[in-house]
Amino acid sequence: MPSLSSTLSLAALCAWQGRHSWRILTTDFGHGESFLAAWKAWKADAQRSRQLHFTAICAAPVSAAQVHAAALPQMAELAQTLGQQMLGLLPGIHRLSFEQGRVLLTLWVGDAHTLLRQQNSSADAMLLHLPFASDNHSIKALARHCHRGSVLQVAPSMQDDAPLRHALTTAGFVFDHEDNNCAHFAPRWEPRKRPGERPPIAQPGTAVVIGAGLAGASVAYSLAIRGWRVTVLAKGEAPADGASGLPAGLFCPHVSPDDSVLSRLSRNGVRMTLQRLRDVCREGLDWGHSGVLEHCTDGGTGLPTAWAGGPGAQWSHACDADQLADAGLPADTAACWHAQAGWVRPAQLVKAQLAQPGITFVGQAHVARLVPDPEDGWQALDACGTVLARADLALVACGPATTGLLPDGVHWHLQALRGQISWGWHSTDNAAALPPFPVNGNGNLVTQVPLEQGKAWVMGSTFERDVAQMPISTTDQAAAHAVNFGKLSTLLPGSAPALAPWFTPGDAHCQPTWGEVRCASHDRLPIAGPISATTPGLWALTAMGARGLTLSVLCGELIAAQLHGEPLPLDAKLAQHLGTERLSRQMPRSHP
């Protein structure tokens, strides 16, 4: 594939100077040469844009080895960094993040024409490579991703393609007189807007986020790295004082034979959670890329048959004999290994994200109402009507308390979910019974958690639907221990006897349960988007349920991308499953 310098002029590329963000789209990723050249040039330019978005179409997955082999010597270090993330590239959309989130690579894996028609993005500069069809339908699909003034650079190998040039001209591109390979998008008509399209925010402003858990911290971080000044308000004294204060939890993909919506969402989420953890947290202390064994107690692994030996196996595959033996499970156990999964201390991730420059945390700030600001934007008021914060943008990310802050006329049915965990310390009595990695299934056991007082294990959790009562009574704690021990006995029959004393109330080993209330939507997927069309500037990120560690970073980036009109970090149709528009079609739940 030609180098970037032969396909996109530096003058067009450097138009990022003085811009908040710059977006490049190429119809052929090749082996990453164009992206690496753009990334290197961006790093070297003191007047570069705050963010660089590079979207590239891959007809087929690209491996790290191919990236390394094709890279020029001066690109070797960047190629090594890129190659570390080039895994699990199944058909669909993949978001890779570099430079602490300031260089974003979005890979569209599949057929170029189909992807251009299905995805939403707007590019400032485009690279058109062979092979690309020169028919009117394909060029119109390409033009969907342009705004007036977008630059298009045609590869030299295509400069004599008369049908292509005619199709481009018909679609609204005007070729430059001085550079026969360069055109800009200047249609004589007003380009049609996509259904539901909102005008993007050109420049970051101020935002107030209500809630300092995983959801609030993730969206605050995504806004802050784009230049927003964010105030995070929390009811408690410190961040992660609610369900995100769990001692330890898992980020882990979901698998299903038909590769369902949740399965695809969870892979997008795991990839982005891993990148965020590497950016802001301490591996080995705050989190671990340990892998997770899933004991499939229903007898089937749920793995798509097409994954064997392909990119899907880099995500999840059937367990081998050694992994089963390490977990103390029989060799014929139905289980799969999630290679990209791991454990996290959620409060550490929350605090690390809130430490991003541009974010101000305010504790003991109980927001009772959100009202429009007379001068524009929103005000967060306490119960006495005192203004706690005012900002251009308000985001509700406070879990079960979300419904109390919805404007009049907006009614969401969110289900309370109380969860309680059982936990204990590693000791000479139980060390041999604990697997060296987390085990998931009906509940999960997280081992080797490095707390300040020593290494701990965490088992849970209960799933008490429609229960919001706090604090937890002694009777409820005992019931939770019994439920969690039952789950452990099914999950890891060999480990349960050695840990039994830790689940027995009255035993010296038994610790109090830890519990908090989460919430879930009617379809068990998060809610991420504008609250209603009649309340501009009021957004929500809530209903994480039991998957906050897996999906919160993805949802925060989705909201930031939608606000700024950026390329989405996931498939456009998948994004609709997270949007608030679906809530207007929901039916009230009449049962848990």
Side-chain angles (χ1 to χ4, degrees):
M1 177 179 171
S3 67
L4 182 68
S5 60
S6 65
T7 58
L8 180 64
S9 68
L10 288 179
L13 181 62
C14 290
W16 62 40
Q17 293 184 348
R19 297 285 295 269
H20 172 70
S21 67
W22 186 252
R23 301 159 194 176
I24 299 173
L25 169 65
T26 176
T27 59
D28 183 15
F29 182 68
H31 293 152
E33 300 95 329
S34 295
F35 169 66
L36 292 172
W39 183 6
K40 184 176 178 61
W42 180 88
K43 284 173 66 72
D45 190 344
Q47 304 301 316
R48 60 182 176 265
S49 56
R50 186 179 184 92
Q51 277 195 313
L52 172 64
H53 292 266
F54 197 104
T55 301
I57 300 173
C58 299
V62 178
S63 69
Q66 290 172 311
V67 169
H68 296 156
L72 297 173
Q74 60 267 35
M75 306 287 185
E77 184 176 349
L78 295 182
Q80 177 71 25
T81 303
L82 172 61
Q84 292 170 355
Q85 295 192 35
M86 300 293 290
L87 54 87
L89 297 180
L90 291 161
I93 311 303
H94 305 271
R95 166 60 60 81
L96 282 61
S97 175
F98 309 92
E99 306 289 344
Q100 301 290 306
R102 289 182 171 81
V103 173
L104 298 175
L105 170 62
T106 307
L107 293 176
W108 296 354
V109 180
D111 174 70
H113 179 257
T114 302
L115 288 164
L116 286 167
R117 291 187 62 84
Q118 290 179 346
Q119 304 311 314
N120 298 326
S121 71
S122 177
D124 300 304
M126 289 181 151
L127 299 96
L128 183 58
H129 290 290
L130 285 172
F132 190 82
S134 58
D135 61 276
N136 288 334
H137 291 295
S138 296
I139 298 303
K140 285 182 178 179
L142 185 71
R144 287 182 69 250
H145 300 270
C146 293
H147 57 75
R148 192 172 294 277
S150 294
V151 174
L152 174 72
Q153 192 76 24
V154 179
S157 58
M158 306 172 74
Q159 63 182 356
D160 297 326
D161 189 332
L164 171 65
R165 300 178 75 85
H166 175 73
L168 287 169
T169 302
T170 301
F173 290 93
V174 178
F175 279 87
D176 295 348
H177 296 297
E178 297 181 359
D179 186 348
N180 200 37
N181 295 327
C182 187
H184 63 278
F185 190 59
R188 296 184 302 275
W189 57 91
E190 189 62 30
R192 183 185 303 173
K193 292 184 178 181
R194 303 183 188 94
E197 184 177 3
R198 289 176 293 273
I201 293 175
Q203 293 293 328
T206 58
V208 57
V209 176
I210 294 85
L214 285 165
S218 293
V219 72
Y221 184 94
S222 291
L223 292 176
I225 62 173
R226 287 164 172 81
W228 289 77
R229 300 185 306 281
V230 186
T231 300
V232 177
L233 304 179
K235 184 178 178 181
E237 293 185 6
D241 61 330
S244 298
L246 179 75
L250 299 180
F251 61 94
C252 190
H254 175 272
V255 292
S256 55
D258 61 348
D259 205 22
S260 66
V261 167
L262 178 57
S263 296
R264 287 175 282 152
L265 282 172
S266 67
R267 286 199 303 276
N268 282 113
V270 166
R271 186 189 292 277
M272 298 186 68
T273 297
L274 265 172
Q275 293 166 1
R276 182 66 54 81
L277 288 167
R278 288 169 175 149
D279 283 346
V280 304
C281 289
R282 304 165 297 174
E283 186 169 4
L285 294 175
D286 302 330
W287 70 285
H289 191 185
S290 57
V292 172
L293 184 149
E294 182 173 349
H295 182 182
C296 308
T297 54
D298 60 0
T301 63
L303 293 167
T305 55
W307 280 17
Q314 295 177 317
W315 287 103
S316 306
H317 56 79
C319 285
D320 60 34
D322 289 340
Q323 290 162 341
L324 291 172
D326 287 341
L329 294 170
D332 61 351
T333 300
C336 60
W337 179 255
H338 301 297
Q340 306 310 321
W343 59 269
V344 186
R345 297 171 61 190
Q348 304 304 103
L349 173 57
V350 169
K351 293 172 183 176
Q353 291 183 110
L354 294 181
Q356 172 69 20
I359 299 176
T360 301
F361 170 79
V362 180
Q364 293 185 314
H366 188 183
V367 179
R369 288 186 298 147
L370 289 167
V371 299
D373 190 300
E375 298 181 4
D376 203 11
W378 291 87
Q379 294 181 352
L381 309 180
D382 67 12
C384 298
T386 303
V387 178
L388 299 173
R390 50 168 43 96
D392 304 323
L393 178 71
L395 295 113
V396 183
C398 49
T402 296
T403 53
L405 295 177
L406 297 177
D408 293 341
V410 177
H411 304 285
W412 293 350
H413 301 281
L414 302 183
Q415 185 178 44
L417 300 170
R418 189 171 73 177
Q420 300 181 67
I421 58 101
S422 301
W423 67 281
W425 302 106
H426 285 239
S427 69
T428 55
D429 296 332
N430 62 35
L434 293 171
F437 42 71
V439 179
N440 196 20
N442 181 22
N444 59 67
L445 177 68
V446 187
T447 62
Q448 313 292 331
V449 181
L451 301 181
E452 285 71 14
Q453 302 90 336
K455 284 192 175 180
W457 55 265
V458 177
M459 176 67 207
S461 79
T462 64
F463 215 70
E464 302 166 67
R465 293 180 172 86
D466 298 315
V467 178
Q469 180 182 347
M470 295 295 291
I472 303 166
S473 68
T474 302
T475 300
D476 285 348
Q477 289 189 34
H481 280 311
V483 169
N484 288 332
F485 186 71
K487 290 183 176 184
L488 176 62
S489 299
T490 302
L491 192 67
L492 291 168
S495 299
L499 295 181
W502 299 85
F503 292 84
T504 306
D507 191 285
H509 293 85
C510 188
Q511 305 290 322
T513 62
W514 181 96
E516 267 296 344
V517 180
R518 303 161 290 185
C519 71
S521 66
H522 69 290
D523 56 10
R524 295 291 182 261
L525 294 177
I527 297 169
I531 288 180
S532 78
T534 60
T535 55
L538 183 60
W539 290 57
L541 177 51
T542 189
M544 291 287 122
R547 298 186 184 275
L549 284 169
T550 298
L551 297 176
S552 61
V553 173
L554 170 66
C555 291
E557 278 292 295
L558 173 61
I559 286 177
Q562 290 173 330
L563 282 167
H564 287 275
E566 299 170 0
L568 299 183
L570 73 168
D571 181 89
K573 289 186 176 180
L574 277 183
Q576 293 176 2
H577 288 277
L578 300 174
T580 52
E581 294 84 357
R582 77 190 200 273
L583 301 179
S584 62
R585 303 186 296 271
Q586 77 180 70
M587 297 297 293
R589 294 181 62 85
S590 58
H591 57 83

